[in-house]
Amino acid sequence: MIKNYFLIAVRNFLKHKFYSLLNVAGLAAGIASTILIIFYISDELSYDMYHENVDNIYRVSVDGMFGGKEFGGTYNPAPLAKTLVADFPEVKSAVRFRDYGNYIAKYGDKNFKESRFAYADNEMFDIFTYNFVAGNPETALKEPNTLVMTRETAEKYFGNEDPVGKTVLVDNKWNYLVTGVIENLPSNTHINFDIFASLESNEDSRDNMWLNSNYQTYILLNENASPEELEAKFSPMLEKYFAPQLIQYIGATLEEFLAQGNRYNMFLEPLADIHLYSDVSGGMGNRGDIKNIYIFGSIGIFILLIACINFINLSTARSSGRAREVGVRKVLGSYKKQLINQFLAESMIISVLSTLLALAIVYAVIPWFNDLAAKEYHYMQLINPVIILSILLITVFTGLIAGSYPAFLMSAFKPVSVLKGNQGSGSKNSRLRNFMVVSQFVVSIVLIVGTTVIYKQLSYIMNKNLGFDKEQVLVVRDAWLLGDKVEVFKDALKSNPDVVQASISGFLPVWSFRSSTAFFNEGEVMNSETSTVQNWRVDCNYIETLGMEIVQGRDFSEDLPTDSSKIIINEACVRQFNLGQNPVGKRLGRMTGEQDNKYKYYDVIGVVKDFHFNTLRHKIDPLVLYLGKNSNKVSVRLSTAEMAGVLGFVENLWNDFAPGQPFEYTFLNEDFDSMYKSETRTGQIFTVFAFLAIIIACLGLLGLSAFTAEQKTKEIGIRKTLGASVQSIMVLLSREYGKLLVIAFVIAVPVAYFMMESWLSDFAFRTEIGAFTFIAAGIIVFAVAMAAVGYHSVKAALSNPVDALKIE
């Protein structure tokens, strides 16, 4: 029986090659898209899940308000980790991490820049799962000036030598002993470093200051310990340790601090939730977004359903062609169950063929998809048990969903009616078919609107007046390698006629180092305006180099030594501290954290126009600029578009001042663009899947229009004989689909508007969606759909009516 089902299915497939190939192509595209989306989702959901204690590991994060300004973060005081272990029996172990940025590491004549370098307590090996290749995890980071590196990093430095016991020179200052080698970390972790150095190496890791927060703290809870009960104990802990230092350094009690509307709380984030669910600022590694899982998961389902809808539409439309087959089979004794099995078998064969073609497509596009999604998928992941099970489920699901309705529909035909020619036209199924076509184009229009809005927002971001000029600015990184020669290096740069200005600072209005301190009006330490404010150390050329605008007062001057006690603030800072129309000359103070010298006051000499130094998801916060040393980067404003010559000049100059040290640079506009990689990637993925959805939908329309033209062959012949024009015939065949597209447009507009308004709500500065976005999406879908329908319409309209009238 199964063999018979198979032979009939193959015979029917070969008999109707055009429709069969359309079904296979559409289903293959839908299944391939779904498999790729499963890759993406499974990788995102797997972050940090490989740790054996994942269910009992938590990150301690902060939520607070100071001076009416909400703040949150992943950074905690140095003594918190040991306090949690000592005071709370629920906490089995705790570890701190601190990432200072890039380091230069040397071994012999090998010199490398390490961007994935972090300091950690030895307890990290008790809490997290790291497989040691060499060394003892119990003691690897207990001593100062020791480090552990991954196997790949160890091979980079030492080749085939045993790394343990070797010494690496870090930042040309400190010798670190290699005490362990661990296996390379997987990409699906947010704690993704190549080198871990002992926190015992840093003196400030041993201080007892609760008002400074520089460390990320993770804890391992004992089995059956309740994180909620532990969180409830944080308030008494802060009263015990945080409150006395608040009085000592700020001069205010915890009650007075809270009475001003301030708050300071700690809470726990499960390790498994950090990558996708955490919205706390800071943190290590790349952050995902659970919204993307929902969005791309929905897209995968919709595209697969569109492909299934095509199959159902074509099968039900062609039901008249198989009606007599069903009638004859029933007369000869076939049961309804046998007919259902036959049609389902045909559907499953097409589903299997589509899956095989989909796997070939996935195999071919994996490298491209890796670039698109910023992932590291490999062909071998296709044999992952989860992926194999998913593919099998998709195949069976597709075959059953796509084949069930046609199977039950056609098996229900009555043989007497069918053999008389009174049934099987498919007209009674037109409502369902039309509903499915509308559904396809609703999805297509929503995806196009989503793509358009995302790119409109990106265009808005890239073209918005940011308050600084990001173009033609070269950023030389790791300028601290120049040591005390950095000022001379900057002056030498300005000798080039293509260099307009240069500035030394670690602070840039893109992702870079940040520093915050509590500021207040003179004499009003705990008033309602006291707030934590970004404060950046810059030099006298910073504002000019970055093309910012002084709107009141003046810039820093190299000719005025007293400017070392002056500050320039932004307009948001003026508003925060209610400095009025004339802020120049007023004084702001900041907390120093020193017991003998708690406060330091600065005169405001200028106000810089607000500029964006966070992403446009955030409003512009108060900012203070003051003169100070931070030689992490040298920013160079250039006057030429011919970069090769000036880059050569800068590199040669670097090699003269820092021989043997790696030269690394970026451009400020590239750094700015990289802040929006996530949005850009989302837009690209939307574009790809919107295109696929339309193509798959149009494959279905192509088949339906061919069938419609075939069904109306005789009617077209009569109409042409009676004088109907080619245009009228085309309108006749296309009119029905035009109506369906209008209905789809009306349904899709509110759906797309709601979705994209929700997405844009994350941005403090955003574009408007606008009516044209929806109109353009509708026009695109209409044009593509009419092109698909038009081919067969034109072909039918131009056919010879004599041939049509010879039918039957």
Side-chain angles (χ1 to χ4, degrees):
M1 182 65 73
I2 295 176
K3 180 181 178 182
N4 185 53
Y5 289 157
F6 178 77
L7 290 175
I8 294 174
V10 171
R11 189 181 303 129
N12 188 61
F13 184 94
L14 295 175
K15 182 179 179 181
H16 303 284
K17 297 184 184 68
F18 175 74
Y19 297 107
S20 299
L21 289 174
L22 280 181
N23 275 330
V24 169
L27 284 175
I31 293 171
S33 301
T34 306
I35 292 172
L36 291 173
I37 289 173
I38 288 173
F39 274 4
Y40 177 85
I41 291 175
S42 63
D43 182 75
E44 289 289 291
L45 293 176
S46 70
Y47 262 69
D48 295 307
M49 298 300 293
Y50 65 91
H51 293 291
E52 294 177 5
N53 299 314
V54 61
D55 293 333
N56 293 318
I57 301 174
Y58 295 83
R59 182 173 70 187
V60 183
S61 295
V62 173
D63 167 63
M65 177 179 286
F66 191 46
K69 178 184 172 185
E70 297 272 356
F71 70 89
T74 60
Y75 293 97
N76 310 117
L80 175 65
K82 289 184 178 180
T83 301
L84 290 172
V85 175
D87 290 8
F88 303 110
E90 298 95 332
V91 181
K92 184 176 183 180
S93 186
V95 60
R96 299 168 299 170
F97 291 93
R98 189 165 185 183
D99 175 14
Y100 290 90
N102 300 329
Y103 285 84
I104 302 298
K106 293 182 180 181
Y107 175 72
D109 59 352
K110 296 179 181 179
N111 192 3
F112 300 101
K113 179 177 180 179
E114 299 293 348
S115 58
R116 303 196 334 176
F117 186 116
Y119 285 86
D121 293 312
N122 193 72
E123 283 78 5
M124 67 177 287
F125 303 121
D126 298 329
I127 297 175
F128 299 101
T129 303
Y130 295 106
N131 298 319
F132 268 73
V133 177
N136 184 356
E138 294 182 3
T139 59
L141 296 180
K142 278 197 171 182
E143 298 299 323
N145 296 92
T146 56
L147 61 79
V148 171
M149 56 177 57
T150 62
R151 178 174 50 79
E152 185 177 342
T153 306
E155 291 172 355
K156 180 175 68 175
Y157 283 88
F158 308 108
N160 295 324
E161 298 179 46
D162 181 6
V164 176
K166 299 289 193 305
T167 299
V168 175
L169 181 64
V170 176
D171 280 1
N172 301 317
K173 298 178 183 178
W174 308 288
N175 286 309
Y176 278 76
L177 183 69
V178 180
T179 54
V181 177
I182 58 176
E183 274 295 346
N184 298 330
L185 303 187
S187 59
N188 58 340
T189 177
H190 78 285
I191 308 175
N192 199 357
F193 296 96
D194 295 324
I195 297 177
F196 295 95
S198 171
L199 254 180
E200 287 296 313
S201 313
N202 303 334
E203 185 177 349
D204 61 359
S205 70
R206 296 185 288 277
D207 71 26
N208 196 40
M209 177 60 69
W210 282 79
L211 299 186
N212 291 339
S213 298
N214 297 308
Y215 298 89
Q216 302 199 50
T217 305
Y218 293 76
I219 61 174
L220 174 65
L221 297 187
N222 287 303
E223 290 291 336
N224 302 320
S226 168
E228 292 79 15
E229 291 179 6
L230 178 61
E231 282 182 335
K233 298 178 181 180
F234 285 166
S235 291
M237 176 188 69
L238 292 173
E239 291 178 9
K240 180 179 179 180
Y241 298 104
F242 178 78
Q245 292 188 4
L246 197 66
I247 298 172
Q248 181 180 1
Y249 290 96
I250 298 181
T253 65
L254 184 60
E255 291 74 18
E256 291 171 335
F257 177 81
L258 298 176
Q260 292 288 340
N262 302 314
R263 70 172 187 272
Y264 184 79
N265 301 316
M266 292 181 178
F267 64 95
L268 299 178
E269 294 184 277
L271 179 65
D273 291 351
I274 288 174
H275 178 66
L276 290 176
Y277 293 92
S278 177
D279 59 356
V280 182
S281 62
M284 299 178 285
N286 296 323
R287 179 174 296 176
D289 190 340
I290 191 61
K291 288 183 181 178
N292 289 340
I293 301 299
Y294 297 143
I295 290 171
F296 296 137
S298 300
I299 289 173
I301 292 171
F302 287 147
I303 289 180
L304 189 60
L305 287 178
I306 286 175
C308 291
I309 286 170
N310 282 347
F311 185 99
I312 294 170
N313 279 345
L314 289 176
S315 297
T316 54
R318 288 173 48 233
S319 59
S320 61
R322 304 194 67 179
R324 284 193 171 86
E325 175 191 342
V326 172
V328 172
R329 281 173 169 275
K330 283 195 170 184
V331 169
L332 295 176
S334 292
Y335 294 104
K336 182 177 180 179
K337 180 180 178 181
Q338 292 175 315
L339 293 171
I340 291 174
N341 290 338
Q342 171 64 52
F343 293 127
L344 285 177
E346 293 179 14
S347 173
M348 289 302 300
I349 288 173
I350 289 178
S351 181
V352 170
L353 290 174
S354 300
T355 300
L356 294 175
L357 179 58
L359 290 173
I361 294 171
V362 169
Y363 184 87
V365 304
I366 276 182
W368 167 81
F369 189 72
N370 281 340
D371 292 337
L372 180 67
K375 296 292 184 181
E376 298 177 2
Y377 305 124
H378 192 268
Y379 307 117
M380 295 302 293
Q381 285 183 264
L382 287 170
I383 62 174
N384 180 294
V386 174
I387 301 298
I388 291 175
L389 179 61
S390 299
I391 292 172
L392 289 175
L393 289 175
I394 289 171
T395 304
V396 174
F397 171 82
T398 303
L400 292 177
I401 292 296
S404 294
Y405 180 76
F408 284 98
L409 171 73
M410 288 186 281
S411 65
F413 289 158
K414 295 179 180 179
V416 175
S417 300
V418 167
L419 295 176
K420 286 182 178 181
N422 297 330
Q423 191 168 347
S425 65
S427 59
K428 292 183 179 180
N429 308 306
S430 61
R431 287 184 181 178
L432 176 64
R433 206 158 51 239
N434 291 344
F435 170 78
M436 292 181 177
V437 171
V438 169
S439 300
Q440 288 179 318
F441 286 105
V442 167
V443 173
S444 300
I445 293 170
V446 168
L447 288 175
I448 291 175
V449 170
T451 301
T452 304
V453 171
I454 290 171
Y455 278 106
K456 277 186 69 177
Q457 178 64 14
L458 287 172
S459 176
Y460 173 83
I461 290 169
M462 298 307 167
N463 295 294
K464 188 181 186 302
N465 183 356
L466 301 169
F468 67 96
D469 185 359
K470 66 181 187 296
E471 305 299 329
Q472 299 285 97
V473 178
L474 174 71
V475 180
V476 179
R477 296 185 173 274
D478 303 315
W480 54 268
L481 289 169
L482 298 166
D484 55 7
K485 300 177 185 177
V486 65
E487 288 285 351
V488 183
F489 176 76
K490 184 184 83 168
D491 293 337
L493 284 172
K494 290 195 260 187
S495 67
N496 189 304
D498 292 325
V499 174
V500 177
Q501 189 54 275
S503 171
I504 303 168
S505 176
F507 304 87
L508 292 174
V510 291
W511 288 131
S512 64
F513 183 71
R514 292 285 186 259
S515 177
S516 297
T517 302
F519 274 79
F520 46 86
N521 284 305
E522 185 175 14
E524 299 179 354
V525 178
M526 284 305 297
N527 73 349
S528 59
E529 288 128 11
T530 300
S531 177
T532 300
V533 175
Q534 291 274 316
N535 57 108
W536 299 359
R537 287 169 288 168
V538 301
D539 65 7
C540 293
N541 307 122
Y542 184 83
I543 290 175
E544 181 183 355
T545 301
L546 295 181
M548 298 170 181
E549 181 184 351
I550 296 288
V551 293
Q552 285 182 275
R554 63 175 178 85
D555 198 351
F556 295 116
S557 173
E558 294 177 346
D559 300 327
L560 297 173
T562 55
D563 275 3
S564 60
S565 62
K566 314 296 183 184
I567 56 173
I568 295 174
I569 61 177
N570 68 349
E571 294 170 306
C573 193
V574 174
R575 294 189 293 271
Q576 172 65 34
F577 294 103
N578 290 319
L579 298 180
Q581 298 296 319
N582 299 301
V584 176
K586 294 183 179 178
R587 285 161 61 85
L588 293 179
R590 72 176 177 89
M591 299 170 188
T592 64
E594 300 172 8
Q595 187 171 358
D596 297 331
N597 186 23
K598 297 179 182 179
Y599 313 127
K600 185 173 182 179
Y601 290 93
Y602 298 86
D603 296 318
V604 176
I605 61 168
V607 178
V608 65
K609 185 178 180 62
D610 277 343
F611 62 90
H612 293 274
F613 51 88
N614 291 315
T615 70
L616 268 68
R617 291 181 181 274
H618 307 93
K619 63 183 181 67
I620 299 175
D621 289 325
L623 173 69
V624 170
L625 303 177
Y626 65 100
L627 291 176
K629 296 290 184 182
N630 189 305
S631 56
N632 192 33
K633 302 178 183 73
V634 176
S635 304
V636 188
R637 176 159 296 282
L638 305 173
S639 61
T640 177
E642 298 297 327
M643 293 298 171
V646 72
L647 282 175
F649 164 78
V650 175
E651 184 171 7
N652 290 334
L653 195 63
W654 174 273
N655 292 331
D656 290 341
F657 279 84
Q661 302 295 349
F663 172 69
E664 184 179 352
Y665 70 90
T666 58
F667 287 95
L668 190 62
N669 60 340
E670 295 173 352
D671 292 338
F672 179 82
D673 293 347
S674 69
M675 294 167 62
Y676 299 94
K677 280 184 179 178
S678 175
E679 287 78 7
T680 302
R681 191 176 299 120
T682 301
Q684 291 170 340
I685 294 175
F686 252 94
T687 302
V688 169
F689 289 121
F691 177 77
L692 276 174
I694 294 173
I695 293 299
I696 294 171
C698 287
L699 284 176
L701 272 188
L702 192 66
L704 283 177
S705 61
F707 174 78
T708 302
E710 182 182 309
Q711 290 292 97
K712 293 182 179 289
T713 300
K714 190 172 183 179
E715 177 186 346
I716 292 169
I718 295 172
R719 284 177 177 273
K720 290 191 71 176
T721 302
L722 296 176
S725 64
V726 172
Q727 291 82 357
S728 65
I729 299 296
M730 290 176 62
V731 170
L732 170 69
L733 296 174
S734 305
R735 182 171 53 198
E736 180 181 358
Y737 299 107
K739 291 178 181 178
L740 298 180
L741 281 169
V742 171
I743 295 171
F745 179 79
V746 172
I747 296 172
V749 167
V751 174
Y753 180 82
F754 173 79
M755 289 178 59
M756 297 322 297
E757 274 291 319
S758 175
W759 185 78
L760 286 172
S761 66
D762 288 340
F763 291 88
F765 299 87
R766 46 162 286 183
T767 186
E768 296 300 324
I769 297 178
F772 180 75
T773 301
F774 299 101
I775 295 171
I779 291 173
I780 291 171
V781 173
F782 184 84
V784 175
M786 288 301 103
V789 174
Y791 169 75
H792 291 292
S793 299
V794 171
K795 183 178 178 182
L798 295 176
S799 63
N800 190 334
V802 175
D803 295 332
L805 295 175
K806 286 181 180 179
I807 294 177
E808 297 183 357

